[in-house]
Amino acid sequence: AQSVTQLDSHVSVSEGTPVLLRCNYSSSYSPSLFWYVQHPNKGLQLLLKYTSAATLVKGINGFEAEFKKSETSFHLTKPSAHMSDAAEYFCVETGGSQGNLIFGKGTKLSVKP
Amino acid sequence: GAVVSQHPSRVICKSGTSVKIECRSLDFQATTMFWYRQFPKQSLMLMATSNEGSKATYEQGVEKDKFLINHASLTLSTLTVTSAHPEDSSFYICSASDRGPADTQYFGPGTRLTVL
């Protein structure tokens, strides 16, 4: 069965330092991959998506992710964290016959002043 | 960009009553909508896939008679929690796909259900 693994349940960084949120997928074929962000008690917002075009994907709010097939990874990065980046981040893959999403367990990002 | 709304955003009800949650795609037609449930501090769990004009496809372990899903038009899907109990209290989120099942999904803001 397909699965998405987010390697860290919680990441804490200082404001202005780089952010790295790790994600590994399991599909053997070229998947569609997404990163979503969820602020407390809010719905999800799409940060970026990979659909087999460029391997380096740029998203909103300065985030980007690189698709590495050899490592089955799709890590999310940002050069400089802002306080407003504190949220839960989900790495997601499309799967199933109807294209439903397979979610990682999420990574909570804390940003210290 | 594509916008999905949910109504209500928050509902509190008594045990044994039924609650209906609406999910609307505001600026696009959604042939497929998905309903997710999120328990506190956990990831989202897909409950069912809703295709316009046909019966919903439920995930294993989700009671179709308890969670009634209707997708009567290309812009509206509803989830009705029947005879709600406290264990049904959760955050329910819908998403809509604008060009087919495997395309980008846009999420609603979620509905917080509390059953007393």
Side-chain angles (χ1 to χ4, degrees):
Chain A
Q2 287 177 265
S3 65
V4 175
T5 304
Q6 289 185 244
L7 295 148
D8 306 294
S9 60
H10 190 192
V11 170
S12 182
V13 300
S14 296
E15 191 175 20
T17 63
V19 176
L20 169 64
L21 305 183
R22 298 182 293 168
C23 171
N24 286 97
Y25 65 92
S26 65
S27 293
S28 57
Y29 57 90
S30 291
S32 292
L33 296 164
F34 308 81
W35 276 99
Y36 286 90
V37 60
Q38 186 181 32
H39 288 90
N41 292 311
K42 301 289 186 183
L44 293 108
Q45 181 183 18
L46 178 67
L47 279 178
L48 50 82
K49 69 175 181 179
Y50 167 78
T51 54
S52 74
T55 56
L56 183 62
V57 182
K58 293 187 183 299
I60 62 171
N61 300 336
F63 285 94
E64 60 183 39
E66 185 172 8
F67 173 74
K68 291 187 177 180
K69 189 173 183 178
S70 60
E71 298 176 6
T72 61
S73 69
F74 190 58
H75 301 334
L76 181 71
T77 60
K78 182 173 180 177
S80 175
H82 293 160
M83 295 298 293
S84 60
D85 294 327
E88 187 94 21
Y89 291 80
F90 292 97
C91 181
V92 184
E93 177 183 7
T94 53
S97 60
Q98 297 198 65
N100 54 279
L101 300 183
I102 299 169
F103 282 80
K105 291 189 175 181
T107 298
K108 183 177 181 179
L109 175 64
S110 298
V111 182
K112 297 174 290 186
Chain B
V3 179
V4 175
S5 70
Q6 273 183 249
H7 178 80
S9 59
R10 186 180 295 266
V11 57
I12 301 172
C13 68
K14 292 182 179 180
S15 185
T17 61
S18 294
V19 174
K20 180 185 284 188
I21 302 170
E22 293 185 348
C23 177
R24 293 181 185 272
S25 55
L26 298 184
D27 49 2
F28 65 99
Q29 293 185 326
T31 53
T32 305
M33 289 184 171
F34 301 86
W35 286 95
Y36 296 86
R37 182 175 180 176
Q38 185 179 34
F39 291 100
K41 300 183 180 180
Q42 295 192 30
S43 187
L44 285 85
M45 179 190 77
L46 177 66
M47 298 175 66
T49 302
S50 169
N51 292 299
E52 187 266 336
S54 63
K55 288 184 179 180
T57 303
Y58 289 81
E59 295 298 301
Q60 193 172 11
V62 178
E63 299 176 60
K64 60 182 67 177
D65 294 330
K66 181 169 185 63
F67 298 99
L68 301 178
I69 291 173
N70 183 278
H71 193 159
S73 78
L74 287 171
T75 59
L76 173 64
S77 176
T78 60
L79 167 68
T80 301
V81 183
T82 62
S83 187
H85 288 99
E87 58 264 29
D88 299 324
S89 299
S90 192
F91 195 51
Y92 292 86
I93 302 177
C94 73
S95 70
S97 175
D98 58 351
R99 277 184 290 176
D103 206 63
T104 305
Q105 290 185 30
Y106 298 92
F107 285 81
T111 296
R112 172 75 61 192
L113 170 63
T114 303
V115 185
L116 302 176

